[in-house]
Amino acid sequence: MNERNLTEAAENPGGDKPVITAGGSTGETMRRVFRKWRFWILLGALTVVVLATIFVLRSGGSDRGILSPGNPAPNGAMAAAEILRQQGVDVEATETLQQTLNAVEAAGAEDTTLLVHDRLGLLEDKQLDKVAEASGRTVLLEPSVTVLSAFAPDIHTAGVVPQADQAGNGDDAATIEPQCRRSHPQAAGTIDRGGSAYRGPVMCYLMENEQGGPSALYVQSGNGEVTVIGNGGIISNDRLRFHGNAALTLRTLGTESNLVWYQPSLADVAIDQNAPELGELVPQWVHLAGIWLVIVALLGVVWQARRPGPLVVEPLPVVAKAAETAEGRARLYQDSRAVQRAAGNLRAGTLRRLASHFQLGTGVAAEAVASAVAAHSSLPEHDVGRILLRSQPSTDAELLEWAQELDQLEKEATAK
């Protein structure tokens, strides 16, 4: 592209009436951006879909929890809850401390069995004490040391029991005998081996642990009000039907007319209102260092802001040469690869000059200018129309070649 073409492309950014639009439309620009970034756009959309799906699947509350009475999955406990309801037990699932206290109070502590399954250890000592004070008969499912301290101080943890192989139909799973005279374990018989072991006044399903001494999967407190089940898997939908798992579960949970099934949620997480602020956690020397840094920064500002002399006055506005402005605009077109925009500007300038040369007026259509040029050119009218009206270069090389054809055509038409 010669200097004349470059200047025309820069000096005619918008074009006049006879110009045929050069720049791409908004839709074309969007398609070009999509083609360039489509991999990352699709990857981001897929990520959003996956995260939304996971959120929906995991936002089902306690109905989706492990050993939840509303969970029909293999690790849920809906089967046990439904059988208890069929036997006349009113089963109520609760997720918060207040819900549990209200449920126990409404049903009556003397007619209610409270099942506590704090699998994630969300409850604190004060919360556990409130539940323990309000409850009567209680069943603790795989309790932690904190839970035991609140409900049954005379029962202690005794390690973890290796999980049995429960593949197949369950017949090959390791089992354990009751080995005690309590009615419920005696009637249930063998159950699955696994979970956590405990020590207490009354122990059933005995085993030896690594620390020495007996431990058990089924332990009761001295007053018989608290029962600990160390293997929660026997309550699950997947294992309830095997061995004596169902019998032990139903006999233990169904002794009273009401069962409150309490699985704490994040709503029970206590927020410490007296948590220290950020300033209290920062060492004292940091405050002194911060004050010193502020002083140094202010001194630096004062030092750099000093003016060694009067301001230099420069006449405004500054006059810039037209060639410099045109060349600068052309450089911007080149850097942004705006080939179609530059071609449109070249076409607009050529059509305007040709219309003026042939005295066709400013409102003349581009086709009329092409007809006038064809009458004064050695090229066929079809070639003149292609150069003036239909050529759409898409690369720098095509733009340069077309600009040379356009310049040659203008010179030939205006020379006659």
Side-chain angles (χ1 to χ4, degrees):
M1 187 185 301
N2 56 31
E3 183 178 356
R4 178 183 176 185
N5 299 138
L6 188 66
T7 303
E8 291 170 358
E11 290 179 342
N12 295 277
D16 292 332
K17 244 181 181 178
V19 69
I20 297 178
T21 179
S25 64
T26 304
E28 294 175 352
T29 303
M30 294 299 296
R31 286 193 293 270
R32 185 164 57 251
V33 172
F34 177 77
R35 285 195 299 268
K36 181 178 180 181
W37 300 99
R38 60 185 173 184
F39 172 76
W40 297 107
I41 294 175
L42 295 176
L43 180 61
L46 180 62
T47 302
V48 171
V49 172
V50 171
L51 292 178
T53 303
I54 293 174
F55 175 78
V56 171
L57 293 178
R58 291 180 177 269
S59 62
S62 62
D63 289 349
R64 300 291 180 182
I66 297 176
L67 299 183
S68 168
N71 184 3
N75 63 352
M78 178 181 283
E82 290 301 321
I83 295 174
L84 287 170
R85 290 189 177 101
Q86 294 174 6
Q87 294 180 352
V89 179
D90 184 9
V91 180
E92 181 176 357
T94 59
E95 297 180 355
T96 65
L97 174 62
Q98 193 59 47
Q99 287 179 356
T100 304
L101 295 177
N102 294 340
V104 173
E105 182 181 0
E110 64 280 357
D111 298 325
T112 302
T113 299
L114 173 64
L115 185 147
V116 179
H117 183 208
D118 188 11
R119 185 175 63 91
L120 301 178
L122 301 177
L123 298 179
E124 294 186 351
D125 295 340
K126 294 181 180 180
Q127 296 170 311
L128 291 170
D129 291 339
K130 289 183 180 180
V131 181
E133 292 174 1
S135 63
R137 188 173 183 276
T138 306
V139 176
L140 305 178
L141 196 60
E142 298 180 351
S144 63
V145 176
T146 306
V147 176
L148 289 174
S149 300
F151 286 90
D154 54 350
I155 300 178
H156 308 279
T157 60
V160 178
V161 180
Q163 187 69 28
D165 181 11
Q166 297 174 354
N169 60 4
D171 294 337
D172 56 349
T175 59
I176 188 171
E177 298 290 339
Q179 301 173 343
C180 70
R181 296 184 179 276
R182 293 290 176 171
S183 59
H184 295 337
Q186 282 291 327
T190 59
I191 64 171
D192 287 347
R193 176 190 178 95
S196 301
Y198 298 87
R199 291 194 187 97
V202 179
M203 295 186 292
C204 298
Y205 300 100
L206 298 175
M207 61 182 61
E208 294 291 333
N209 58 57
E210 298 177 357
Q211 300 175 356
S215 60
L217 295 179
Y218 188 93
V219 181
Q220 286 186 336
S221 59
N223 58 10
E225 293 294 320
V226 178
T227 301
V228 173
I229 299 179
N231 185 7
I234 67 173
I235 302 178
S236 66
N237 299 327
D238 185 40
R239 301 301 303 173
L240 185 68
R241 66 185 186 276
F242 296 118
H243 312 298
N245 297 344
L248 184 63
T249 298
L250 300 178
R251 285 176 172 271
T252 303
L253 301 181
T255 55
E256 305 294 343
S257 58
N258 300 286
L259 173 63
V260 177
W261 199 305
Y262 179 32
Q263 290 184 304
S265 63
L266 293 177
D268 285 329
V269 177
I271 301 176
D272 188 2
Q273 301 295 337
N274 298 322
E277 297 181 357
L278 180 60
E280 298 175 0
L281 299 175
V282 176
Q284 187 64 31
W285 62 267
V286 174
H287 299 284
L288 300 176
I291 295 174
W292 172 248
L293 290 176
V294 170
I295 295 174
V296 172
L298 292 175
L299 292 176
V301 170
V302 173
W303 171 57
Q304 289 293 335
R306 287 189 309 110
R307 289 201 289 260
L311 293 176
V312 177
V313 179
E314 183 177 359
L316 295 176
V318 177
V319 179
K321 296 181 180 179
E324 294 179 358
T325 304
E327 184 177 358
R329 191 187 298 273
R331 296 292 183 187
L332 292 176
Y333 287 160
Q334 184 179 17
D335 293 342
S336 61
R337 301 182 184 276
V339 176
Q340 294 182 352
R341 183 65 179 270
N345 293 340
L346 288 175
R347 194 191 317 273
T350 303
L351 290 173
R352 187 183 66 252
R353 289 191 301 274
L354 289 173
S356 175
H357 176 76
F358 294 116
Q359 299 180 353
L360 298 177
T362 57
V364 66
E367 290 77 6
V369 178
S371 299
V373 172
H376 296 79
S377 173
S378 61
L379 295 176
E381 186 175 356
H382 178 272
D383 291 340
V384 173
R386 176 185 61 81
I387 297 173
L388 278 179
L389 306 179
R390 295 187 295 276
S391 293
Q392 295 290 339
S394 58
T395 64
D396 290 343
E398 294 177 359
L399 178 64
L400 179 59
E401 181 179 356
W402 174 73
Q404 291 174 348
E405 291 181 345
L406 195 65
D407 183 59
Q408 184 63 33
L409 177 62
E410 182 181 358
K411 291 179 179 179
E412 181 182 3
T414 56
K416 297 179 181 180

